[in-house]
Amino acid sequence: MVSARLLPVGERAFLLEAGSQGDVLAVHGGLEASRLDGVVDLVPAARTVLVRVDPRVLPLSVARGWALHAAEAAGRAAPASDAPLVELDVVYDGADLAETAALLGLSPEVLVDRHTASPWTVAFTGFAPGFGYLVREDWTYDVARLPSPRTRVPAGSVGLAGGFSGAYPRDTPGGWRLIGTTAAMLFDPDAANPALLAPGTRVRFRAVPAASGRSGTPVAAERPAASAPAPAGGIDVVESGLLATVQDLGRPGAAALGVAGSGALDRTALRAANRLVGNAEHAAGLEVTMGGFRAVARRDLWVAVTGAWGAIHLAGREVDPYEAIAWPAGAELHLDWFAHGARAYVAVRGGLDGRAVLGSRATDVMAGLGPAPLRAGDRLAVADEASAPVPVSTPASWGAPHDDELTIELAPGPRADWFAPDALATLYESLWTVTNDADRVGMRLDGPRLPRTRTDELPSEGMVPGALQVPPSGRPTVLLADGPVTGGYPVIAVVTDASLDLLAQARPGTRIRFRHARRTE
């Protein structure tokens, strides 16, 4: 029987903490085998499995009972022997092969022999979509990461770090020691099973000579352009401003593959914009950060702008937000720089068209999924997917976002016990300020230090949007929609789902006070 304990992760998730990596694999398999409706994500990590639920479908209390029972059943079950086996051809020509072998007291040839000696198992994914952390019972080496991470690790690079091996699905920064290269397609968002190395998969590395192992650059899925050639009735981007992206309500359910939920940061504002023009709430629109956006319609459209507050001009005439407005062909829509709030949402009747990636058209700026951030000259297609007439009257009240000082509700985090006794009091009693380090991935806050009582490294575990990670500096960072699905900094608390929309309108300099969320169970 697996000895597991539950740790809270906000109001919609919890961690099931197991004793060892083998226990985690067994527990994750048991949870997947008995998965209940309403379970959104099951994310295995080094010592835990994150369970994230939709409380409208599955009460959190019911999910907790199910998870504990599944953990006990997994502990009594025999290990699965039918897990898929993937063979990866690797050219062992990595830049760090010789140095890594020397650090381990081996020759490069012996290191390669031991790396290929028996199959590995994908314990969990994280860091980037399809990046699997591979483990093996008979692998006894602990490989130190590079003292200074590389700014670019090429796609297909095979590396070692800690007790793990792994392969990079796309070009990213990284600090693993590189020992080889594979030409395999490690992540294909259009495939039925996007991640070649999904949790539970067994992997055998096979050494091959350079000529047969790869030809040219390792294969990696290409990110689509912001707009492919679009029908004549689209939208032409004239100026994109600081950042403009296509967003819908995201792609939940793929976190176990290393894919964040993404989607609009202020979901309430996007939903409102879509309702105003008769779209379904999940239709894709534009998320414009801080303003400075201009676009021209190529046919007659209906448009609505919600969220952040600033002057809006259509064909040179100032118009109101939170109102469906006719946008004639050839007219320019201009969102000036915002006076209040950080993100506005532009919905056009029918919704924006484009290729869906894992069920969503949303841009994920960290993972490189979905269309690239918009640039001047991009052309966007408009779909014909309106679900209702344009409302005769405005369906919701509106007003300027409050961005001088926000009150944000927090639910308990899983690692509050890693902090000094007065850290929680400091968190709730202090006034925090949003720094310039704020984007769709996360928001760094400035304020007093939250002292930790534990200084050891936290094994990677599942993260959720709203998690307040506290690095060694002691000042928290709030993870947002494009943030990583696993992380190694302790989470002291989690922003509630409703408060995430408020936080989306915070801008550098916004002051934040935290308060305890009211319990719903």
Side-chain angles (χ1 to χ4, degrees), residues 264-271 287 307 343 345 500-501 504-505:
L265 292 190
D266 187 344
R267 297 154 298 172
T268 299
L270 177 64
R271 289 184 175 112
E287 180 180 271
R343 294 173 177 88
Y345 293 84
L500 276 173
D501 287 350
Q505 296 300 345

Side-chain angles (χ1 to χ4, degrees), residues 437-450:
D437 295 326
D439 56 20
R440 287 186 46 83
V441 175
M443 178 181 294
R444 187 170 297 170
L445 305 180
D446 190 26
R449 186 172 177 272
L450 300 177

Side-chain angles (χ1 to χ4, degrees), residues 36 51 54 87 138 153 162 167 174 218 249 318 453 458 463 500:
L36 301 178
V51 181
D54 181 347
E87 290 191 339
D138 61 349
V153 175
L249 294 182
E318 189 163 3
T453 55
L458 176 69
M463 294 289 149
L500 276 173

Side-chain angles (χ1 to χ4, degrees), residues 238-386:
V238 178
E239 292 182 6
S240 59
L242 184 66
L243 175 69
T245 59
V246 175
Q247 298 295 340
D248 51 23
L249 294 182
R251 48 180 69 86
L257 304 179
V259 178
S262 198
L265 292 190
D266 187 344
R267 297 154 298 172
T268 299
L270 177 64
R271 289 184 175 112
N274 275 322
R275 288 197 301 269
L276 284 163
V277 293
N279 290 342
E281 291 186 345
H282 63 265
L286 296 179
E287 180 180 271
V288 178
T289 301
M290 302 304 291
F293 178 82
R294 297 176 184 266
V296 174
R298 296 181 59 83
R299 67 172 173 87
D300 291 346
L301 299 169
W302 284 90
V303 65
V305 181
T306 60
W309 189 275
I312 306 169
H313 292 89
L314 183 60
R317 178 175 61 89
E318 189 163 3
V319 296
D320 289 332
Y322 286 88
E323 184 175 314
I325 304 165
W327 186 1
E332 182 182 84
L333 175 71
H334 175 210
L335 275 60
D336 207 342
W337 298 104
F338 304 147
H340 299 284
R343 294 173 177 88
Y345 293 84
V346 180
V348 294
R349 181 166 174 78
L352 296 180
D353 206 353
R355 185 171 71 96
V357 178
L358 296 175
S360 170
R361 296 180 173 118
T363 297
D364 183 331
V365 298
M366 180 176 175
L369 296 179
L374 300 181
R375 298 178 298 178
D378 284 342
R379 179 172 294 178
L380 302 172
V382 176
D384 186 20
E385 299 175 359

Side-chain angles (χ1 to χ4, degrees), residues 7 9 15 17 43-50 124 414-415 418 458-464 469 484-491:
L7 301 171
V9 183
L15 290 176
E17 188 174 56
V43 186
R47 297 290 182 270
T48 60
V49 179
L50 174 75
F124 59 97
R415 301 298 174 186
W418 277 53
L458 176 69
S460 290
E461 57 190 26
M463 294 289 149
V464 298
Q469 279 193 325
V485 300
T486 60
Y489 293 135
V491 172

